[in-house]
Amino acid sequence: MENEINVADRENIRQRYLRVDTSNVADVLDNLNVPNQGLAPEFTPFPADAGQLAGWAYTIRGQNTPFPMGGDADKMAACQGVSAGDITVWSGDGDGTCYFGELIAIGMKERGSVGALVDGGIRDVRWLKKQEFPVFARYRSPVQSIARWKVNGCQVPVFLRGATVKFVTVNPGDFILADEDGAIIIPHHLVVQVLEEAERLTNIEVAIRSELAQGLSLSEALKKFGHV
């Protein structure tokens, strides 16, 4: 799908997703019989007020691999293909170490990336806040990846810890949405369909909240609008 959508349409879709909630997206995916796309509850925003994450998956995979100090050229090479509207998705074994920090965030931001999703550790949280670069990750750690955790692939399917299954597959070009309720992955072939239905549910919820504020009871609202 990524190859079928031009740059302007990609950004339009991304902006529209920023106006819907992960909860509605999850409900839509359930109705489409794609029920296991939510990520584990450990994925949280860093800093806590980082805001929403919405963008196209650019996947990066790594593993625990002892190697000499002096940088990680493979990690930098893997990031070269990141483009506007992308979210870098970091995966692989390496618990305890940091995969992502301030300097990578600066480089990704220069390329137009709109955030990062990290199934592992991050650091430089204070400086990420100053960069206004949203990151959702499982934990923070001051321990760098250099000499410990090495990138071994990019733009390949990766596996992130899931909410209802052990792992959720993320393919390049899938869509990522994360907010206060958590993070969810929308398969690339369903991105537009899920968005349109999530927008419909959002409009219904806005109408319900408006009428409740005007005195309509919840039972009356459910009779009028149905279950959402």
Side-chain angles (χ1 to χ4, degrees), residues 102-115:
E102 178 197 13
L103 296 182
I104 298 178
I106 291 171
M108 297 300 92
K109 190 174 178 180
E110 289 174 348
R111 292 179 172 276
S113 174
V114 291

Side-chain angles (χ1 to χ4, degrees), residues 2-146:
E2 189 177 30
N3 293 331
E4 299 172 358
I5 301 177
N6 63 39
V7 173
D9 288 340
R10 273 170 50 102
E11 181 58 16
N12 178 54
I13 289 169
R14 197 183 76 80
Q15 290 295 329
R16 288 166 63 189
Y17 262 107
L18 284 168
R19 296 191 287 271
V20 301
D21 297 332
T22 55
S23 56
N24 281 336
V25 167
D27 291 352
V28 172
L29 288 168
D30 277 350
N31 291 335
L32 293 174
N33 198 31
V34 188
N36 297 311
Q37 297 301 112
L39 298 186
E42 290 81 9
F43 284 90
T44 53
F46 290 94
D49 59 353
Q52 285 178 288
L53 196 63
W56 307 87
Y58 182 98
T59 62
I60 298 171
R61 183 187 65 203
Q63 67 181 52
N64 280 327
T65 304
F67 62 99
M69 293 291 288
D72 185 351
D74 292 331
K75 177 185 283 190
M76 301 316 296
C79 294
Q80 295 305 304
V82 174
S83 59
D86 284 346
I87 290 172
T88 52
V89 180
W90 300 77
S91 70
D93 65 312
D95 280 356
T97 59
C98 159
Y99 302 174
F100 189 92
E102 178 197 13
L103 296 182
I104 298 178
I106 291 171
M108 297 300 92
K109 190 174 178 180
E110 289 174 348
R111 292 179 172 276
S113 174
V114 291
L117 179 65
V118 185
D119 192 357
I122 65 163
R123 68 181 189 177
D124 306 324
V125 175
R126 183 195 327 166
W127 305 109
L128 291 173
K129 180 179 177 66
K130 290 183 180 294
Q131 289 294 328
E132 297 182 343
F133 191 84
V135 177
F136 276 65
R138 283 197 300 113
Y139 61 86
R140 77 242 189 280
S141 171
V143 179
Q144 68 176 343
S145 63
I146 292 174

Side-chain angles (χ1 to χ4, degrees), residues 154-165:
C154 67
Q155 288 299 73
V156 294
V158 296
F159 308 97
L160 274 60
R161 289 162 177 81
T164 56
V165 290

